[in-house]
Structures are given as C-alpha cells and as structure tokens.
Amino acid sequence: WTVRAVDAECAPPEIAGREPVARVRFACPGTYEVSLAVRDRLGVQSEPAVEEVHVLAATGEAAVIAGPDLATDHRCSGEPLVCRTDTAVSLAASAAPGLSLRWSVEPPVERPLDDRRRVRFVPSADVPSPRAILETDGTAISGDWIFRVEARDAYGVLGAAATRVSVRNRAPVVTVHPEAPFPHAFDAARSVFTSSGALAWEASDPDGDPVEVVGIWRHVGDGDGARFDGDFAGTAVLFEVEVPYDAPEDALRLRRGEGLSRRVEVIAWDSNRTEGRGHAEVEIGNRPPVNLNGAVEAAVPHVFDRERSRYFAKVGRWTFVDPDGDPLFGATEGAGPCDTTLVEGNEARVECAVRFDGIPAVEQLAGRRTFSVNVRDPWDRAGAAPVHSVTVLNSPPTLGHSVAPATVPIAGYVDVWNFRCPLTIYVRAVTFEVTPAVADPDGDPVLVTPVTVEGGAVTPDRAVCTAPECVHFRFVQPQHSFRCPTAVLPSSFLVASDGLASLWAGVSPAWQRE
C-alpha cells in the first residue's frame, strides 16, 4: 500500500501492513491517491491499482479524540530472541470531563496476540496517555497496529477513537558471490557436457529478524533435455549442469549461446514475510586444445578425387588433446588450397584441394604451398599455429593413339634416297580417325587438343579425358602436292595437358605410293 497527497495540506498516512484491507486515518481533508501492488512468491510484482480518495472535513464534536498516527522501526536481539519496537509507543487521548478512558489493541492481520506476541500498557490501559510496549519472541511484529480508545460514563461507551501505529520492516539483505568461470568436462560415453561448482552466499536482516532462505536455479536457452539444479550446503549454493550433445551447434547450449543464461537466486524471507533477493550468473569456461606433436613431409603426391571432382593431397599428421575432453574439429580458414584441416579423433591432417570445373587446373595445387594446422574445440582454437610449407608433386600424363586408316595413298614417283624427283607428288584428300589413349599417374583429367594441317578440319576441337580412352577425333585432310626434295610432308598431331605438364604426338597416317 502507498498513499500520496494530491491536494491535501498534511502528510499522507504511512501504511506498514500488507493485508488486503488497510485501516487508514487521514489527518486533514483533501484528495489522496491510494495505490496497491501485489507480488507473487517468485517476486514478480503487478502493476499498481490506483484510486483517488476524497476526504471531507469532520463535523460535530467527538466524545474522545486520539493522538496522531505513529510509525516506528523495530529490532530483534538477545538470546532467546525478542523483537521490540525501537522505542515505546506513546499514546494520547482526550475526552470531556467526567468520562473514563480505556485502551485496547487490534493487531495486524495474521499477527494474533498469544504467548509469543504481546502488548503491554504502561502504567495501564486506563490512563489517557499510556506507553504501549510491543514484543514478540522472534515472530512477526511489523504491520499496522490499531490502538483503540473508548470514552465511557457510568452507563457505557459514549465514543471511540483510534491511533494507528505502523511498525516498519526492512527487507533482508542477500549477497551471492560470483566466481570465476567454472570448468566443464565432456562425457564421451554419454555424449553430454557437464559442469558443477559452488557459489558462496550471505543473508542478514537489518532488523535482526530470523530469516528463512531458499534457492532457485533458473536457466534459459539451453534447450530440451538440459539440466541445471543443485542444493544448499551451509553458506554455499551447489549446482550441477548437464547439456546433451548430438551436433556441433549443441555446444552453444553449454556456453556462448544467444540468450543463454544460468542464474542462481537466493531468496530470504524474514519472520515478517518481507523478501530479500540476491543472484549470480553461472559462467562456464573452456580450455582450448593443445598440440602435442606433429610432422610434415617435405613433398607429397596428389590424386584426383573423381567422386568429388577435385584435386587433393593430404599433408602431415599432428596429435591434439583437449583438456576438457571436448570433441575436436578442423577449421577452414582463408582461400588458399591448403587452408583446410581435417580431424579424426585426436589426429589432424591438412588437406590441400582445388576444385575441378571442367578445365585441368592442377597447376593451382602443385608446387610449394604454405599452411597452418587449424584445430578447435566447439568454442576456441588451439594455441598459435606455426606456418609450415610443403611441395605438392605432379606426374605428367602419357599419350598413345591409334589411327584409322593407317595409310594414305600418294601419286607420282619419288626416290628420296637417290634424290630423283622428276614428278610432282600428290597426296590425296583423306579422312581418318584418331583414338587417343590417355593415362595420368595422379588420375588427373587431361585436356587433349587436336591440330590438323593447313586447310584441314577436325572434330571435336578438344576434349577432356578422365579415363584411359578418350573420344574419337575425326580429321579431314585436303589434297596436298609438292615436288621433291624440298617439300615437307603434311602432318597432324595431338597435344595433351594436365594443366601443368604437356606433351604431343603426331597422328598422320603413313604414306603409301600407288
């Protein structure tokens, strides 16, 4: 409850009670704003409900007038524990001459008077201005105590008035001490991440009230199947964490995940049921992988991966260990051919690879290459990775062929050995087919390009061969004439290249005189 004076000239009444009904006396007329908020057991508070109260001026004379409302703090101390108001409450009342006065008390709701909660009037309840002493044996004392005074004559009660005494209460103070990040471990047999630890806490009450403490373990963002709970042990909150692991992205449910939070809350209620809270976030740490040893060859061969359409070579071998037992991964960093690290268990190798897009490109892989070994757990990379170098080797292709027809007829007479060339020699037009036989020790695709004589034609104009046999090339060779001995015989040939090494072979059929 809270009361605010809107246009009244006096201070608004102070309400210490937490009951659904507040008994309030306004000291002067005017408009007051009264608001009420409620809170659940978890400490979530509602928006306040607000009403205006219009207080009118009093009319007529009262038979008895009580003193103003009062407010006081309290303190609990001693052994056994006793709670009292800080000072004795001084009450006051006045009445017409000849009337007797008698004081009584109405305790706050849920604060009944009994052998553990008492009120004494000193010197008695029958004087106009007694002192009221409020005591409890460590039980609740806060709230609004209504001290009622009645004016009597010989025939009974003529009138009554009341003074409200609000006994204030301060909330307990709770402190939870955060710790450095807690370690974790990976249980490979169960495929779960685990962590546990303890957070120290303290709870005290400014008024000396006894307190009752409970803990709440809150967690969000760690997904279904995750566990975060614990228990109290003296002045420490113990906790345990379990997060199932099925895929690399599940690691973010243990740490560094978006919206992930694990919070331990300690809630203390004093005997007056006033709540104090403290909390701390549970942060889980990580230790990066460690490189134990490794070796890299000076030179390595490469092969062609036909299934994945790429050139690749595996380089070196290294052993890593993760202090937390976490699964390890290779990382692809950069755009170079040797920037991919492959990990299997604790063993890491570097893969040098270049994609094949239909045109031989082994020159993008072969040669001197530099690289680093990039290994990480689900969150962090291993320490500084040294730069290594390796030579990726390449073996040139081989090229064979067969020609059909195997011979080409010529007309005229020639005796090259005796240098007698009385005639013009005619090589007739001819069409022939060549079937190349390509082999590459690395399995690389080979680009075969045919070259024909001047004025000739060939189809296709090129082909990429990835098997021992290639396509058939069809050559069309026009008629050709020459005089011996200075003429040069026409010739066609094939050029084969894996992208780095090239070779050629003549493919013209043999000549035969008619």
Side-chain angles (χ1 to χ4, degrees), residues 474-493:
R474 184 179 181 86
F475 287 82
V476 178
Q477 187 168 294
Q479 177 176 295
H480 183 74
S481 64
F482 62 93
R483 291 186 64 84
C484 200
T486 59
V488 178
L489 302 181
S491 179
S492 299
F493 56 92

Side-chain angles (χ1 to χ4, degrees), residues 108 114 155 198 253 257 311 352 404 507:
D114 54 25
Y155 300 100
R253 302 185 338 183
Y311 306 91
C352 301
V507 295

